[in-house]
Amino acid sequence: MMLELVLLTLAGLSALAYLPLTASAPSMGRSGIKTLPLSLFACVALWGGGPVWLIAGLILSALGDFALSCTGSDTRSDTEQSRTGSGSAEHAFLLGLVSFALAHLCYAIMFWGSVEAVSWPALASLVVLALSTEVWLVPYTGALRGPVRGYVLLICVMTGLALSLPAGLRLASLGAVLFLCSDLILSLQLFRMRRNTWQARGAGYLLWGLYILGQGAILFAVLGRFGEVWGLS
């Protein structure tokens, strides 16, 4: 239990350390700090005997964090190249997109086993959200519209399953919604906002916070040990 507490504390500190770096120029140090929180979450899941789909999802998320940070894709430094399908930014963005898509697939498989009844209102809302991206997102993604569409489908499926979980796993439902909100803000930052503006910088801070909280909520919900780890039970 003490090791889990140490790992979670380090994850929290590294997440805070990355916050002022969200708009910084790419560097290996910046990429390392960004990759650390989810890598430590994966270690917690492994040490705590978490399901393989949880561990795989966290590892893939850490890989996605690294990929999106390498060329500044998470701060739109090379977004024009990504739109037209050229340059290293496109490759980094695609690697990050695929990594997170696979992470969502892992979470969806994990949640599926615990779903007792599908939440049709939640599913309908997510269908509307997915269709709306054809208006405000997809037309602005250029050569990446195919991968982006696939990603939207996967995160909506994952969130729909999370919102269909029983009461005992509602923390995971909250985590999935926070993850979805983080990705919505990221999509706006990447494809709709001008770079180096206060809106883009603010979006970077907000999406990072929502992302870490969302992933942490999923981790705690699935391990079912929030109170134990923090000495509350």
Side-chain angles (χ1 to χ4, degrees):
M1 202 64 62
M2 180 58 67
L3 179 59
E4 291 179 357
L5 181 58
V6 170
L7 292 174
L8 288 169
T9 300
L10 290 175
L13 291 174
S14 58
L16 289 174
Y18 180 74
L19 195 59
L21 302 177
T22 54
S24 300
S27 68
M28 287 306 297
R30 175 178 178 272
S31 295
I33 293 174
K34 185 176 185 181
T35 308
L36 196 54
L38 269 293
S39 300
L40 291 169
F41 279 177
C43 291
V44 171
L46 180 63
W47 182 261
V52 64
W53 295 116
L54 174 64
I55 298 169
L58 293 169
I59 292 173
L60 286 164
S61 296
L63 177 60
D65 286 335
F66 181 79
L68 290 183
S69 70
C70 282
T71 64
S73 296
D74 56 345
T75 55
R76 290 188 81 248
S77 63
D78 292 318
T79 303
E80 292 300 326
Q81 284 185 309
S82 295
R83 286 176 179 169
T84 57
S86 61
S88 60
E90 182 211 11
H91 299 136
F93 182 82
L94 284 176
L95 176 58
L97 195 71
V98 170
S99 298
F100 279 116
L102 291 175
H104 292 314
L105 181 59
C106 289
Y107 288 161
I109 294 171
M110 177 176 66
F111 293 152
W112 176 257
S114 298
V115 170
E116 297 174 353
V118 175
S119 174
W120 294 109
L123 186 60
S125 299
L126 289 165
V127 169
V128 172
L129 174 62
L131 291 175
S132 75
T133 62
E134 292 295 320
V135 176
W136 61 267
L137 175 60
V138 173
Y140 301 91
T141 57
L144 297 171
R145 64 179 57 199
V148 168
R149 280 175 170 147
Y151 185 85
V152 168
L153 175 63
L154 279 173
I155 192 171
C156 285
V157 168
M158 183 277 290
T159 306
L161 290 171
L163 290 172
S164 300
L165 292 170
L169 289 171
R170 287 296 163 78
L171 185 59
S173 304
L174 174 61
V177 171
L178 293 176
F179 202 160
L180 174 65
C181 291
S182 173
D183 273 357
L184 289 174
I185 297 170
L186 177 61
S187 65
L188 290 171
Q189 184 197 47
L190 285 172
F191 298 108
R192 299 301 305 273
M193 293 182 183
R194 295 179 180 274
R195 64 175 179 172
N196 298 325
T197 62
W198 68 267
Q199 293 96 331
R201 289 191 294 272
Y205 301 145
L206 181 58
L207 72 89
W208 178 248
L210 292 173
Y211 169 71
I212 293 297
L213 290 174
Q215 292 274 29
I218 293 172
L219 171 65
F220 278 123
V222 176
L223 289 183
R225 301 174 66 179
F226 181 83
E228 293 180 30
V229 171
W230 297 103
L232 301 176
S233 64

